[in-house]
Amino acid sequence: MQQAARPWPGAAGPACPQPGARPRTQAWPTLGYILLLLACVREAAAAAGYLPRPGERGLRQAGLPWLEVPWQPLLTQAEVQRGMYYGSGGRLRALATKLRAGRPVTVVLLGGSVTNAGELSRQGLSYAARFFSFLNSTFPNPAHRFINRGMPSSNSGWFAPCVDTLVPPGADLVVVEFAVNDNQQVAITSPWRHFYEQLLRRLLALPASPAVVLLQHYSWYLAAGDGQQAGLFYNNPESSFNWLAQYYDVPSMSLRAAAWRLMQQGIEGFKVDQVLRPGISYKGRALPQADPSQRNQFIYDDFVHPGPTGHQLLAELLCAPLIRALWETDIGLVVNERQDSRVQGLPPPMIPNERDQLTAPFCAIGDDFQWAIVDSQGFNISSERPRGNGYEPAISGWVATQPGSFLVLQVDTRSGLRGRDAGRALVLLQYLRGNADTIGTAVLTCEAGCTCARQRLDATWPSHVQMVAVAELLVTGQSDRCLVRVTVAPDNGSRQLFFNGVMVNPWHE
């Protein structure tokens, strides 16, 4: 005798409670009530197409492709969940509500060359391009704004003082990607982790209360240590960033957590033993190039940057928390929050001795760099296209070649803080780095308003690829007129020096 089909939960029996409703009894909800509620949630999710009904295989078979990424995913649902820390999700649900209402949104990406992605972005293959494609195909609106602020060789210390410059005040979502750019092996109390926390605090304090999502790229080759040449699970900044994600209740998506075992086992589409770009070596070890016909099997373009497959993985991870927020919004999920002013708003800093700056951060980048220059000789404004680098477009800056040429920059090192480190600040100078045949050296000194040790800036590195980089100068003295002189070194010859930005972070130690 054939067994009758089991009715779908909620199809018969007690009526489902309305969103936000409480059980009739004042006692703790009964197990039966909880099971009924879970069944009703599942029924609503299935009716909306988020979960398959019995006999249905998934979202695509349900005829709702807009509820998942608009390409064939590489990660399973379990792998995506493994890579996700979601938190309470309140800000993401606010974004989901706005999208469902058909309103335009502004999305800003902050990160390094992985976020910039150069040619892959222009080809629509970067994680940024794929994520923007997901939003446009799911919620088309000509007024959406997608802003990619990825800056190769930058780190969170570069972005922290420049939030007001780089992030529009009405931003709805900000993605933060620095897991391979920030200093890899430092304590949570180091200045570089302070910079990352300050970046998060400034983003979360923006007037529009944007959703903030941390996207953690993972470099198999950089993850070395404790006798292991590559593939170490724990030797990177991600653990520190995840502590901050939990502390500030912001989602964090981890390529390492989602796919490390797949990489380690060499699963197709997740292979790491070869790279796409020819002639790549790391720490004296040549990395074999993948056969071009098999390029979709490998994650990395070189020892840091993902290729198209790696970017697809990052895009799937970035889409996941927003898809979950949309699901929660559509089923009318109500998350009960504690109404107590003592635990509302931005919490105090997590890292000991971290304090919010009491004055406006100093940031002069791009076209604003010229306003920091109070004196110059031998430098001229020029537009440069970094050579051999597919990650950066042409950029404008100040260029000199003759020894003795100089720029005098006026920066504001005031923080309004008191204490052991209150009198110190880190001045970050943005420059172009390249091979010693074409790029030269400079000397950094402090003239007035602050003091610093004389520092030689060697803008060269052993590569013919040119790339924007950041020099760090630790200065002492809180002043709105700290004068830093940049002088082309006497032994420079006729090689080029290029500068196009300066910013200041309070120093915490």
Side-chain angles (χ1 to χ4, degrees):
M1 178 178 179
Q2 185 176 4
Q3 186 177 2
R6 183 170 178 261
W8 187 247
C16 290
Q18 295 299 309
R22 298 178 180 273
R24 293 188 179 92
T25 175
Q26 296 300 314
W28 186 255
T30 65
L31 177 60
Y33 180 87
I34 293 174
L35 292 175
L36 171 63
L37 183 61
L38 290 174
C40 291
V41 167
R42 182 176 177 84
E43 177 186 10
Y50 292 102
L51 293 175
R53 293 182 182 275
E56 292 179 344
R57 295 182 60 191
L59 299 176
R60 293 186 183 277
Q61 287 75 11
L64 295 170
W66 59 85
L67 297 177
E68 49 176 14
V69 293
W71 59 81
Q72 185 62 40
L74 296 172
L75 293 167
T76 67
Q77 293 178 357
E79 288 156 359
V80 170
Q81 293 299 316
R82 190 178 300 132
M84 180 190 299
Y85 170 74
Y86 186 72
S88 64
R91 294 194 182 203
L92 274 176
R93 283 191 295 277
L95 171 61
T97 299
K98 188 172 183 178
L99 287 167
R100 282 297 190 203
R103 297 165 60 193
V105 299
T106 297
V107 179
V108 183
L109 309 183
L110 307 181
S113 52
V114 172
T115 293
N116 180 281
E119 191 61 33
L120 288 181
S121 282
R122 291 183 282 275
Q123 295 172 356
L125 298 175
S126 67
Y127 88 77
R130 284 182 177 274
F131 181 69
F132 297 159
S133 171
F134 162 71
L135 280 180
N136 267 328
S137 62
T138 310
F139 306 101
N141 192 312
H144 285 327
R145 293 181 67 195
F146 301 127
I147 304 171
N148 188 338
R149 298 295 196 191
M151 175 61 69
S153 295
S154 64
N155 55 38
S156 59
W158 187 93
F159 281 89
C162 297
V163 166
D164 291 340
T165 302
L166 298 173
V167 181
D172 298 285
L173 171 64
V174 183
V175 179
V176 179
E177 176 271 311
F178 289 111
V180 297
N181 286 62
D182 274 21
N183 200 309
Q184 295 288 300
Q185 301 175 28
V186 295
I188 186 67
T189 54
S190 73
W192 292 271
R193 297 297 180 262
H194 281 282
F195 299 155
Y196 191 90
E197 182 172 20
Q198 277 300 308
L199 172 61
L200 295 185
R201 293 182 65 80
R202 287 170 184 158
L203 292 173
L204 292 169
L206 288 173
S209 298
V212 176
V213 175
L214 311 186
L215 183 62
Q216 319 288 17
H217 178 47
Y218 173 72
S219 169
W220 182 267
Y221 294 98
L222 291 184
D226 292 340
Q228 192 163 317
Q229 287 188 330
L232 203 62
F233 190 85
Y234 56 84
N235 205 10
N236 55 52
E238 188 175 327
S239 296
S240 297
F241 295 171
N242 286 339
W243 295 337
L244 289 163
Q246 294 168 6
Y247 183 82
Y248 287 105
D249 189 24
V250 298
S252 177
M253 303 304 299
S254 168
L255 177 62
R256 179 189 68 178
W260 183 89
R261 193 170 184 189
L262 304 173
M263 299 180 194
Q264 190 261 344
Q265 289 294 322
I267 302 298
E268 292 77 8
F270 299 87
K271 294 182 177 181
V272 297
D273 59 321
Q274 299 175 36
V275 296
L276 304 185
R277 189 177 297 189
I280 298 297
S281 61
Y282 182 62
K283 292 187 175 180
R285 180 165 60 102
L287 303 181
Q289 182 188 8
D291 186 321
S293 66
Q294 299 293 315
R295 59 186 292 115
N296 63 337
Q297 301 296 315
F298 296 88
I299 291 180
Y300 296 105
D301 185 51
D302 54 30
F303 61 86
V304 174
H305 301 98
T309 298
H311 273 280
Q312 180 176 333
L313 296 173
L314 291 171
E316 291 175 20
L317 289 168
L318 182 55
C319 292
L322 181 54
I323 290 175
R324 173 170 168 176
L326 288 162
W327 171 76
E328 292 176 342
T329 302
D330 286 353
I331 67 172
L333 179 68
V334 176
V335 177
N336 184 31
E337 296 190 23
R338 184 176 299 278
Q339 302 302 313
D340 189 324
S341 61
R342 293 172 294 179
V343 292
Q344 293 176 343
L346 198 64
M350 184 193 84
I351 301 174
N353 300 320
E354 175 69 68
R355 292 163 294 170
D356 291 325
Q357 188 170 341
L358 301 180
T359 58
F362 184 88
C363 174
I365 57 176
D367 293 340
D368 290 340
F369 181 57
Q370 61 182 319
W371 306 118
I373 300 172
V374 295
D375 194 9
S376 68
Q377 178 179 298
F379 274 85
N380 298 291
I381 298 179
S382 176
S383 181
E384 299 288 326
R385 174 71 163 85
R387 300 175 188 173
N389 184 351
Y391 295 101
E392 297 182 67
I395 52 178
S396 296
W398 288 66
V399 179
T401 57
Q402 295 303 312
S405 300
F406 68 85
L407 293 173
V408 178
L409 308 175
Q410 179 178 319
V411 300
D412 190 342
T413 59
R414 296 174 299 173
S415 66
L417 303 177
R418 299 182 181 276
R420 183 183 62 179
D421 296 315
R424 295 196 288 175
L426 192 67
V427 177
L428 304 172
L429 182 62
Q430 187 169 291
Y431 67 96
L432 189 66
R433 180 170 57 180
N435 188 269
D437 293 338
T438 57
I439 301 294
T441 56
V443 176
L444 310 180
T445 56
C446 292
E447 286 199 338
C450 57
T451 60
C452 63
R454 183 178 185 274
Q455 183 171 314
R456 183 177 176 88
L457 169 59
D458 185 351
T460 69
W461 68 332
S463 172
H464 288 283
V465 174
Q466 294 182 349
M467 185 173 290
V468 172
V470 176
E472 301 172 348
L473 180 68
L474 186 61
V475 305
T476 300
Q478 292 203 30
S479 171
D480 62 348
R481 190 175 168 78
C482 170
L483 300 183
V484 176
R485 176 184 284 260
V486 182
T487 307
V488 178
D491 58 354
N492 181 71
S494 59
R495 296 174 298 169
Q496 182 186 84
L497 273 301
F498 176 97
F499 300 94
N500 73 334
V502 62
M503 60 287 298
V504 179
N505 269 313
W507 183 260
H508 298 274
E509 194 171 43

